DNA sequence: CCAAATTTGATGTACGTAAATCAAAATTTG
DNA sequence: CAAATTTTGATTTACGTACATCAAATTTGG
């Protein structure tokens, strides 16, 4: 049988009230007594029954998700997953609120974070814009004892408790090796389409991609990065233009969102050419393109897993519990035609 | 605020005791009254507070994991993950016991399952040997109201509540496409190493592999399957033999466990040849081989995820709750050198 | 050494559900 | 219609923890 507070009291030779004072860090306990109790807790291996505790407290976790107001399939999917979590939230004693902020706007993000500092929710998850002022705002919250996790894109050098997202350097490296192997030693140029070099995840993907390309596939050369701002129209124009002008392009790596434009450009311009294409994020568009052969592989992060992981971690941190690290590692999915979910 | 049993009682105009009788399917309630209560439950959207209920019941879930006594890295890993779950079990009000059965022995499995029918644990997870008598034994347990999930390998045509494992046909297809693309249109023979064609997961992998090979890579021909019984020594001998005799082999697909022998054979026999190799299951051995270039890609199922998923599903079934399907889908991991965990 | 302040103990209520008991009411049976 | 039976209500205890109150004991300061 699992030990209870009564067992602690008996083991430490104190009353239940004193045990309670120690456990919940209430004042009015001498140092010697406190240590006696703490030793007893350790010795009998007491673990607080979180379910009973939450029942007693009538606790509901209040979590806030801060998402960028970007109009691309991935962010819509992320939003959907948060909504799905909200739908489940009553069962899980959680109260989840989402706040939309303009994308790539550190100022707006900082303002929201500061307001949340007063509100003191049980936990915060945010898609971080990687800027020093954001990092400082997050660190203030952490110092205040509010659990914070970054979602999808991390925050350089911050004290956030956890990052719920994929390793983007590894993602870029993987893309490079897949492309290199699929091209089987051919010589030519690779076009890279990104959203913006101002977000950390895109920078990291490119970094990993370029590193492996340079080291292991010297016959392939990377063209200057095309920045499509995750906008389908812009991506379409820029990619179509590049394909027209550069006849040496034999492969494409799309590391950002907004692949609709890319796919359209590929279908228009590359009917006669055989391009090998790797893209990020599984959406209706990329899925169809993978199935019809326009895209050869899709690298994906599962937004649902990221959201659920973020919630689990926030809950654990709020309760002062440990997380199962292996469970919370967000994996890079590689999809070919054959293993689509 | 979430509605409670009191709210049901008020809404239905009955007493708390009657609500309790309906909720816990105790006798002594007229049909009309039962329906009145059930309507009230539906109308006010009552959801049982599982935490409070378990507290009141003093419930601990007793789960049984039935694992084959196979001496290969994957099964050892699976065992480790179950043990890790046992270590966490006190916190989660679970009591997990593992039973080892001889591998590929339907009779032994059936006997254990029948014994468990009397013991009535809260749930059972088993690595199924795919035989009709096992299916029948499982179906009896399911009929008895005991939640059952299959782990890693499924049971054809059975009523099991859930399968916690990967789609092995998709895995085989994916292996074929990777191999085909990596070989880039070359002509030659492919050696396939399996454990045994008597287990369903291996049969399915081969099926998927052969299908895609035939349809999309006609220049590659599959040699007769080598059955290594998941035994390193045997695999070593058979693969070394094949490599010596067949000079046309340009690729290898190892779809079973026990890759140690395969790797040794590859290092001895294929120093001068360039083979493209795809193997299943990430272990210390396959990981090292991937890093040093002996293996080109590893397909993996995450044993930790499978075990945790099985537990979550068993718990949900025991409580009569819904599972989050997307969360319980076990994904096929594809590892290249660059995205190893 | 006494008064004041601090520390500790004893006790009760609450959270939402399960489970049991006994009495009261309603229904069915003969 | 009375007796037997079934159904329903009222009430209590328990699970493990949190939190509050008041009294008693101990320690500290002057």
């Amino acid at each position: 049988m699992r030990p209870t507070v009564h067992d602690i009291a008996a083991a430490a030779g104190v009353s239940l009230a004193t045990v309670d004072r120690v456990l919940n860090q209430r004042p009015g306990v001498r140092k010697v007594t406190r240590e006696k109790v703490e030793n007893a807790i350790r010795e009998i291996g007491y673990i607080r029954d979180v379910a009973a505790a939450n029942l007693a407290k009538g606790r509901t976790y209040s979590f806030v998700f801060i998402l960028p107001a970007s109009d691309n399939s991935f962010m819509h999917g992320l939003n959907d997953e948060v909504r799905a979590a909200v739908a489940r939230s009553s069962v899980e004693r959680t109260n989840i609120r989402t706040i939309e902020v303009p994308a790539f706007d550190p100022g707006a993000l900082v303002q929201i974070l500061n307001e949340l500092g007063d509100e003191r929710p049980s936990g915060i998850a945010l898609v971080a814009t990687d800027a020093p002022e954001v990092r400082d705002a997050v660190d203030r919250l952490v110092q205040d004892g509010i659990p914070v996790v970054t979602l999808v894109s991390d925050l350089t050098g911050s004290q956030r408790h956890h990052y719920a997202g994929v390793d983007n350097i590894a993602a870029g490296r993987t893309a490079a090796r897949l492309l290199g192997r699929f091209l089987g030693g051919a010589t030519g140029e690779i076009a890279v389409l990104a959203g913006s070099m101002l977000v950390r995840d895109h920078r990291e993907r490119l970094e990993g991609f370029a590193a492996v390309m340079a080291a292991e596939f010297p016959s392939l050369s990377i063209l200057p990065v095309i920045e499509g701002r995750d906008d389908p129209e812009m991506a379409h124009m820029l990619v179509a233009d590049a394909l027209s002008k550069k006849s040496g392009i034999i492969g494409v790596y799309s590391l950002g969102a907004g692949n609709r434009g890319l796919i359209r450009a590929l279908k228009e311009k590359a009917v006669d050419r055989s391009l090998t294409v790797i893209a990020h994020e599984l959406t209706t568009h990329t899925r169809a393109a993978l199935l019809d052969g326009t895209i050869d592989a899709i690298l994906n992060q599962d937004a649902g897993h990221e959201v659920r992981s973020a919630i689990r971690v926030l809950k654990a941190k709020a309760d002062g519990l440990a997380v199962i690290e292996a469970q919370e590692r967000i994996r890079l999915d590689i999809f070919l035609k054959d293993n689509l979910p």
Side-chain angles (χ1 to χ4, degrees), chain A residues 288-314:
Chain A
L290 180 64
L291 286 173
D292 74 19
T294 307
I295 292 181
D296 296 90
I298 295 173
L299 304 187
N300 186 62
Q301 53 188 323
D302 189 312
H305 280 212
E306 293 177 330
V307 169
R308 289 187 292 267
S309 172
I311 293 173
R312 272 197 302 270
V313 171
L314 285 178

Coordinates of all heavy atoms in Angstrom, one line a residue, chain A residues 288-314:
Chain A
A288 N -1.4 15.4 -51.1 CA -1.8 15.1 -52.4 C -0.6 15.1 -53.4 O -0.4 14.2 -54.2 CB -2.8 16.1 -52.9
A289 N 0.3 16.1 -53.1 CA 1.5 16.2 -54.0 C 2.4 15.0 -53.8 O 3.1 14.5 -54.8 CB 2.2 17.5 -53.7
L290 N 2.5 14.5 -52.6 CA 3.3 13.3 -52.3 C 2.7 12.1 -53.1 O 3.4 11.3 -53.7 CB 3.4 13.0 -50.8 CG 4.2 11.8 -50.4 CD1 5.7 12.0 -50.8 CD2 4.1 11.5 -48.9
L291 N 1.4 12.0 -53.0 CA 0.8 10.8 -53.6 C 0.9 10.9 -55.2 O 1.0 9.8 -55.8 CB -0.7 10.7 -53.2 CG -0.9 10.3 -51.7 CD1 -2.4 10.4 -51.3 CD2 -0.4 8.8 -51.6
D292 N 0.8 12.1 -55.7 CA 0.9 12.1 -57.2 C 2.3 12.2 -57.7 O 2.5 12.4 -58.9 CB 0.0 13.2 -57.8 CG 0.5 14.6 -57.5 OD1 1.7 14.8 -57.3 OD2 -0.3 15.6 -57.6
G293 N 3.3 12.2 -56.8 CA 4.6 12.2 -57.3 C 5.3 13.5 -57.4 O 6.5 13.6 -57.8
T294 N 4.6 14.6 -57.1 CA 5.2 15.9 -57.3 C 6.2 16.1 -56.2 O 7.3 16.8 -56.4 CB 4.1 17.0 -57.1 OG1 3.1 16.8 -58.1 CG2 4.7 18.4 -57.4
I295 N 5.9 15.6 -55.0 CA 6.9 15.7 -53.9 C 7.4 14.2 -53.6 O 6.6 13.3 -53.7 CB 6.2 16.3 -52.6 CG1 5.9 17.7 -52.9 CG2 7.1 16.1 -51.4 CD1 5.2 18.4 -51.7
D296 N 8.6 14.1 -53.2 CA 9.2 12.8 -53.0 C 9.2 12.4 -51.5 O 9.2 11.2 -51.2 CB 10.6 12.7 -53.5 CG 10.6 12.9 -55.0 OD1 10.7 14.1 -55.5 OD2 10.5 11.9 -55.8
A297 N 9.3 13.3 -50.6 CA 9.2 13.0 -49.2 C 8.8 14.2 -48.4 O 9.0 15.4 -48.8 CB 10.6 12.5 -48.7
I298 N 8.1 14.0 -47.3 CA 7.6 15.1 -46.5 C 8.2 14.9 -45.1 O 8.1 13.8 -44.5 CB 6.1 15.1 -46.4 CG1 5.5 15.4 -47.8 CG2 5.6 16.1 -45.4 CD1 4.0 15.3 -47.8
L299 N 8.8 15.9 -44.6 CA 9.2 15.9 -43.2 C 8.1 16.6 -42.4 O 7.6 17.6 -42.8 CB 10.5 16.6 -43.0 CG 11.7 16.1 -43.9 CD1 13.0 16.8 -43.5 CD2 11.8 14.6 -43.7
N300 N 7.8 16.0 -41.2 CA 6.6 16.5 -40.5 C 6.8 16.5 -39.0 O 7.6 15.7 -38.5 CB 5.4 15.7 -40.8 CG 4.1 16.2 -40.2 OD1 3.7 17.3 -40.6 ND2 3.5 15.5 -39.3
Q301 N 6.2 17.5 -38.4 CA 6.1 17.5 -36.9 C 4.6 17.3 -36.6 O 3.8 18.0 -37.2 CB 6.7 18.7 -36.3 CG 6.1 20.0 -36.8 CD 6.9 21.2 -36.3 OE1 7.3 21.3 -35.2 NE2 7.1 22.2 -37.2
D302 N 4.3 16.5 -35.7 CA 2.9 16.2 -35.4 C 2.4 17.2 -34.4 O 2.7 17.2 -33.2 CB 2.8 14.8 -34.8 CG 1.3 14.4 -34.7 OD1 0.5 15.1 -34.2 OD2 1.0 13.2 -35.1
A303 N 1.6 18.2 -34.9 CA 1.1 19.3 -34.1 C 0.3 18.7 -32.9 O 0.4 19.3 -31.8 CB 0.2 20.2 -34.9
G304 N -0.5 17.7 -33.1 CA -1.3 17.1 -32.0 C -0.4 16.6 -30.9 O -0.6 16.9 -29.7
H305 N 0.7 16.0 -31.3 CA 1.6 15.5 -30.2 C 2.3 16.7 -29.5 O 2.4 16.6 -28.3 CB 2.8 14.7 -30.9 CG 2.3 13.3 -31.1 ND1 3.2 12.2 -31.1 CD2 1.1 12.7 -31.5 CE1 2.5 11.1 -31.4 NE2 1.3 11.4 -31.6
E306 N 2.6 17.7 -30.3 CA 3.2 18.8 -29.6 C 2.3 19.5 -28.6 O 2.7 19.8 -27.5 CB 3.7 19.9 -30.7 CG 4.8 19.3 -31.6 CD 5.2 20.2 -32.7 OE1 4.4 21.0 -33.2 OE2 6.4 20.2 -33.1
V307 N 1.1 19.6 -29.0 CA 0.1 20.3 -28.1 C -0.1 19.4 -26.8 O -0.1 19.9 -25.7 CB -1.2 20.5 -28.8 CG1 -2.3 21.0 -27.8 CG2 -1.1 21.6 -29.8
R308 N -0.3 18.1 -27.0 CA -0.6 17.2 -25.9 C 0.6 17.2 -25.0 O 0.5 17.1 -23.8 CB -1.0 15.8 -26.4 CG -2.4 15.8 -26.9 CD -2.8 14.4 -27.3 NE -2.0 13.8 -28.3 CZ -2.4 13.8 -29.6 NH1 -3.5 14.4 -30.0 NH2 -1.6 13.2 -30.5
S309 N 1.8 17.1 -25.6 CA 3.0 17.1 -24.8 C 3.2 18.4 -24.0 O 3.5 18.3 -22.8 CB 4.2 16.9 -25.8 OG 5.4 17.1 -25.1
A310 N 2.9 19.5 -24.6 CA 3.0 20.8 -23.9 C 2.1 20.7 -22.7 O 2.5 21.1 -21.6 CB 2.7 21.9 -24.8
I311 N 0.9 20.2 -22.9 CA 0.0 20.2 -21.8 C 0.4 19.3 -20.6 O 0.4 19.6 -19.5 CB -1.4 19.8 -22.2 CG1 -2.0 20.9 -23.2 CG2 -2.4 19.5 -21.1 CD1 -3.3 20.5 -23.9
R312 N 0.9 18.1 -21.1 CA 1.4 17.2 -20.0 C 2.6 17.8 -19.3 O 2.6 17.7 -18.0 CB 1.9 15.9 -20.7 CG 0.9 14.8 -20.9 CD 1.6 13.5 -21.2 NE 2.5 13.5 -22.4 CZ 2.1 13.3 -23.6 NH1 0.8 13.0 -23.9 NH2 2.9 13.4 -24.6
V313 N 3.5 18.4 -20.0 CA 4.6 19.0 -19.3 C 4.2 20.1 -18.4 O 4.7 20.2 -17.2 CB 5.7 19.5 -20.3 CG1 6.8 20.3 -19.6 CG2 6.3 18.3 -21.1
L314 N 3.3 21.0 -18.9 CA 2.9 22.1 -18.0 C 2.2 21.6 -16.8 O 2.4 22.1 -15.7 CB 1.9 23.0 -18.8 CG 2.5 23.9 -19.9 CD1 1.4 24.7 -20.6 CD2 3.5 24.9 -19.3

